[in-house]
Amino acid sequence: MITGLDHVQLAAPPGAEEVLRAFYTGVLGMTEIPKPPVLAARGGCWFKAGTAQLHLGVETGFRPARKAHPGLRVTGIAAYAVRLEAHGTPVTWNDDLPGHRRFHCADPVGNRLEFLEPHGPARP
């Protein structure tokens, strides 16, 4: 029986840890969590916000996925979009998911991220 989602892993090119730390902690406001020593030796970094964890692992020959992405639930989505854009990260709004406001952006190495916030029924 599946009881929940533990984490999502994204790939990153070798040597990208510092730019990823700056983005995921400084821009997104996540907290870096320590990797176990045997895994830390492989590079990469892990982050957490609430119950969501994102693990970024080093991949030689890295190419970001064009479609695959984690969906991150947020509150105050409009302010979150402004925050990202103020840090030089463009966002693309999408109204295709009923009951949600959402946008996509890319992290500094090109990983696609989705941010969404549920809302009530659309008003006429």
Side-chain angles (χ1 to χ4, degrees):
M1 161 173 45
I2 296 174
T3 60
L5 181 64
D6 186 76
H7 69 276
V8 172
Q9 172 131 349
L10 301 173
E17 289 87 352
E18 289 310 310
V19 69
L20 293 169
R21 285 183 177 103
F23 179 77
Y24 284 95
T25 63
V27 178
L28 298 188
M30 299 181 84
T31 301
E32 185 171 3
I33 54 177
K35 292 178 68 172
V38 68
L39 298 177
R42 300 177 188 168
C45 36
W46 293 0
F47 304 95
K48 177 180 178 177
T51 60
Q53 283 192 32
L54 287 176
H55 296 182
L56 286 116
V58 171
E59 182 178 324
T60 303
F62 166 77
R63 287 189 309 170
R66 296 179 58 136
K67 185 131 179 114
H69 63 274
L72 303 170
R73 191 162 284 194
V74 299
T75 58
I77 194 164
Y80 220 83
V82 168
R83 176 182 175 142
L84 282 158
E85 289 183 325
H87 283 89
T89 303
V91 304
T92 303
W93 288 93
N94 179 296
D95 296 327
D96 292 342
L97 184 62
H100 294 82
R101 291 192 70 205
R102 72 179 181 157
F103 65 81
H104 293 88
C105 72
D107 76 5
V109 298
N111 288 311
R112 186 175 188 218
L113 305 174
E114 177 181 358
F115 296 83
L116 61 160
E117 181 176 37
H119 65 75
R123 295 191 179 127

